[in-house]
Amino acid sequence: AMSSAAAMAARSSAESDIIAAGASSSVAAHQIALQLWLLCSFLCDALATASQILVADGMGREDAESVRTVSQTVFSWGLALGLSLSAILWVGTESNFLTDFFTADEGTRLELTKLLTIVTLAQPLNSFVFAADGVLQGAEEFPYQAKSMALSVLTAFAVFAALEYTPLLGASDGDTLVHVWLGLIALQSMRALTSFVKLIEKQGPIDLLGLGKQAS
């Protein structure tokens, strides 16, 4: 009986160690991916700062054409920046440079590779969101942005809950960390969608596509 109890205790301890190791790998991978995400976000934020100032200047001069031109230029640069960041991250991932640079732990490397795919694919979206933030802030659309963020947060929680607790959507895979990151992508996607709606509004302050100008 004592030997059986000892065997069970040893097995339980081993399983606990495995679980703890897996959790540590996930947390480490999350921290690395988060720092890369923040680094890319800081670069994209430069677009927001520039566009906010230039759009505010055009709005102050009541120059709708200048506001539209500046906004279109900012989004063009944003697309180029987002694609460039994605390309850099893709090369770093495929060459194993990023995983080799940050960790030698196999568990962490495995978890990090999954997250790097998400971070890489999200950069064009991320750059658009930051550029849109700057343009809308320059146009003083703060109440709209607050409502947009509230809706985006609710969307992110809904997506995470669906992935985490709905078997058909991935609850059975137990990959909570990936679900968290997909929730973040859902948040950015909703921010992008709501921003785009405001940006192309014919009677809005930006009228990015010039629809109001054509109508008149």
Side-chain angles (χ1 to χ4, degrees), residues 57-150:
D57 177 68
M59 295 289 292
R61 291 185 285 105
E62 298 183 353
D63 188 346
E65 188 62 34
S66 174
V67 170
R68 183 162 43 250
T69 301
V70 165
S71 300
Q72 291 171 346
T73 302
V74 166
F75 287 118
S76 296
W77 280 103
L79 177 61
L81 177 59
L83 292 175
S84 297
L85 291 173
S86 287
I88 292 170
L89 290 171
W90 180 80
V91 171
T93 302
E94 290 298 308
S95 64
N96 292 323
F97 172 78
L98 290 175
T99 49
D100 290 342
F101 181 80
F102 284 109
T103 181
D105 179 73
E106 285 302 320
T108 303
R109 289 163 65 93
L110 180 63
E111 295 294 328
L112 180 58
T113 299
K114 292 187 290 186
L115 299 185
L116 285 176
T117 301
I118 298 174
V119 174
T120 298
L121 294 176
Q123 290 316 303
L125 171 67
N126 209 30
S127 64
F128 174 82
V129 168
F130 274 89
D133 276 352
V135 170
L136 292 176
Q137 287 167 14
E140 297 185 341
E141 290 291 335
F142 301 113
Y144 181 85
Q145 285 187 293
K147 296 174 185 177
S148 169
M149 179 57 80

